[in-house]
Amino acid sequence: MAAKKILVIEDEEDIQSYMMTFFEDNGFQALGATNGSQGFDLAKKELPDVITLDISMPEKSGIKTLRELQQDPKTSRIPVVIVTGVSEELEAYIEHRKQIRPPAGYVFKPIDTRELLETVNRFAV
Amino acid sequence: MQPNRGADGGQTPEPMMPGEATAVREVEDRLASLNLLVGTISHAIRGQLTGLDGGIYLVKSGAARSDTERMTRGLAMVERNADRIRSTVLNILYYAKDREPVREPVFAPDLVEELAEPVRKRCDEAGIALSTEIASGAGELRADPKAVRSLVLNMLESALEACAADSGEGRHRIRLSVFPEAEQIVFQVRDSGRGLDPETVKKVSSPLFASKIEGAALGLFISNKIAAAHGGSFRVDPGAGDGNTVTARLPKG
């Protein structure tokens, strides 16, 4: 069976390297993008099974990237798990934004890898 | 003195004494600033702890697989993020104390060489060329040694971050120089990395900074405070020449 494809959108190099290595160790084919624009383009090209998305990124925030992913027919069905160091109040903030559907899940930094893996495995079906 | 009572019997606030309104506003500004600082620090530390965890993961999984390359990568990640956490914590402590500098003689060339050493290792790992320039006459100044160390280290961290953020071709460069200028000693860091955005430059000198200032930008904010506390000045010039130029001028005496 082909490995599930996961796209990690994260601007911090160390965190991206960590997450991609971790996912590869757990049977995923991992792709990486260091900003929202690159992430959106890669998502359209590669059509991953699941995306992890950071929120605080330069140039284009994760919120804007999430909206773009949800609005584009090619990527709108791909589950997105937000992985962020922004506070848990983000969840309430997104719930109130009418132009954005809530993401598939949230994992807050510092990352609990068991929680991260359970969350992505739940959606990468 | 009894509180004023309105027609409905409720209490109305006492009119403030002259100067009280300013003092209250200063406290409110400070509290607002601290609230923002806590939020900002929380975000920065969460990311740095994740980086630290990442390094530990790579070391442990590398050892399990007898993968020396992975272990080496992991150890470098641990060191980098431990340094970042150290900087963040020291910056918080400096900000929280807001104390007068405790001045002693500081020999600027020795300080520059001392600080360049650990940074050189990180530059080598990242493929960045680090050079130091110590002008003759750049000698002694009376300053708080720990504070000046933080000031210069924060400038170097900002340069490292700018280089890491720039995906341009070619080898990045950082130059740390110290030179005399009239009755001042000037510490300057130039990098060839990504130019700091105008928002960040504004926030560096703002007493109230928005929640996005963190990491190296927070460090520059602290450096600005340290320079001011010493009676000196601090300037950030993004894109001046190549990359960024950050300059701290401290009085000699």
Side-chain angles (χ1 to χ4, degrees):
Chain A
M1 193 169 71
K4 293 289 177 192
K5 209 186 287 187
I6 188 163
L7 170 60
V8 175
I9 306 178
E10 166 63 61
D11 67 313
E12 284 283 343
E13 204 179 303
D14 283 348
I15 299 176
Q16 193 199 74
S17 171
Y18 170 29
M19 288 175 69
M20 286 180 67
T21 308
F22 175 74
F23 286 131
E24 280 164 1
D25 288 349
N26 284 277
F28 283 87
Q29 179 197 348
L31 307 164
T34 51
N35 61 62
S37 297
Q38 195 185 63
F40 179 55
D41 291 343
L42 205 49
K44 281 201 293 188
K45 184 178 168 215
E46 296 286 339
L47 301 177
D49 299 289
V50 66
I51 295 172
T52 68
L53 175 63
D54 184 21
I55 291 296
S56 268
M57 291 190 289
E59 289 160 33
K60 192 195 290 185
S61 76
I63 302 277
K64 280 196 183 143
T65 307
L66 179 63
R67 190 169 63 228
E68 280 182 354
L69 288 166
Q70 290 177 348
Q71 287 175 349
D72 192 300
K74 276 191 158 186
T75 54
S76 61
R77 289 185 181 278
I78 303 173
V80 176
V81 175
I82 286 182
V83 179
T84 181
V86 176
S87 77
E88 284 84 347
E89 285 160 355
L90 173 72
E91 210 168 323
Y93 171 74
I94 288 184
E95 304 294 327
H96 282 104
R97 293 282 300 267
K98 293 194 169 45
Q99 309 96 336
I100 302 176
R101 293 192 314 272
Y106 296 89
V107 173
F108 293 99
K109 293 170 183 169
I111 297 169
D112 178 326
T113 48
R114 202 176 330 177
E115 184 193 348
L116 176 66
L117 195 59
E118 273 172 12
T119 307
V120 301
N121 276 334
R122 207 183 312 145
F123 299 107
V125 289
Chain B
M1 187 186 274
Q2 296 298 312
N4 294 336
R5 292 200 182 274
D8 61 353
Q11 289 185 14
T12 56
E14 283 287 325
M16 289 198 204
M17 301 294 285
E20 257 189 323
T22 306
V24 167
R25 214 167 26 250
E26 278 173 7
V27 170
E28 284 172 347
D29 282 350
R30 181 91 175 144
L31 281 173
S33 175
L34 280 170
N35 274 338
L36 288 169
L37 177 65
V38 168
T40 299
I41 298 297
S42 166
H43 182 252
I45 292 268
R46 283 170 186 255
Q48 290 155 6
L49 287 174
T50 306
L52 191 63
D53 284 341
I56 294 168
Y57 174 81
L58 291 179
V59 170
K60 284 168 82 169
S61 59
R65 290 153 196 258
S66 303
D67 183 343
T68 318
E69 187 274 331
R70 185 186 277 213
M71 285 172 65
T72 306
R73 220 166 19 106
L75 191 56
M77 205 183 280
V78 165
E79 286 178 336
R80 242 185 337 267
N81 286 280
D83 275 346
R84 285 178 185 144
I85 291 167
R86 187 177 303 115
S87 280
T88 301
V89 170
L90 290 174
N91 281 333
I92 298 164
L93 291 176
Y94 189 88
Y95 182 82
K97 274 188 187 173
D98 225 11
R99 54 179 170 81
E100 274 298 301
V102 177
R103 294 175 196 256
E104 351 177 326
V106 173
F107 191 57
D110 283 351
L111 183 87
V112 160
E113 290 298 349
E114 180 201 317
L115 292 176
E117 213 29 62
V119 176
R120 197 178 301 283
K121 190 174 171 220
R122 285 171 62 185
C123 286
D124 288 344
E125 281 162 11
I128 299 169
L130 172 69
S131 61
T132 53
E133 257 180 34
I134 300 172
S136 63
E140 201 173 88
L141 68 156
R142 284 194 62 78
D144 187 319
K146 284 187 186 157
V148 176
R149 272 192 197 90
S150 276
L151 179 151
V152 177
L153 256 178
N154 287 337
M155 290 163 70
L156 288 167
E157 279 289 345
S158 173
L160 277 165
E161 206 172 272
C163 291
D166 182 38
S167 49
E169 306 247 328
R171 197 175 183 205
H172 284 107
R173 300 177 310 278
I174 295 175
R175 191 181 72 200
L176 167 59
S177 14
V178 61
F179 52 89
E181 193 177 82
E183 292 307 306
Q184 297 181 315
I185 297 286
V186 184
F187 296 93
Q188 190 175 77
V189 175
R190 297 189 69 158
D191 67 71
S192 64
R194 189 171 73 185
L196 288 163
D197 62 85
E199 268 303 300
T200 300
V201 176
K202 243 193 309 184
K203 285 167 193 168
V204 164
S205 54
S206 164
L208 263 183
F209 52 91
S211 62
K212 284 248 171 180
I213 187 171
E214 61 173 80
L218 174 63
L220 291 181
F221 174 81
I222 299 294
S223 288
N224 183 46
K225 283 178 67 71
I226 294 171
H230 281 80
S233 67
F234 191 76
R235 196 183 156 97
V236 176
D237 289 302
D242 195 11
N244 303 285
T245 302
V246 181
T247 310
R249 289 180 165 82
L250 301 182
K252 283 182 187 172

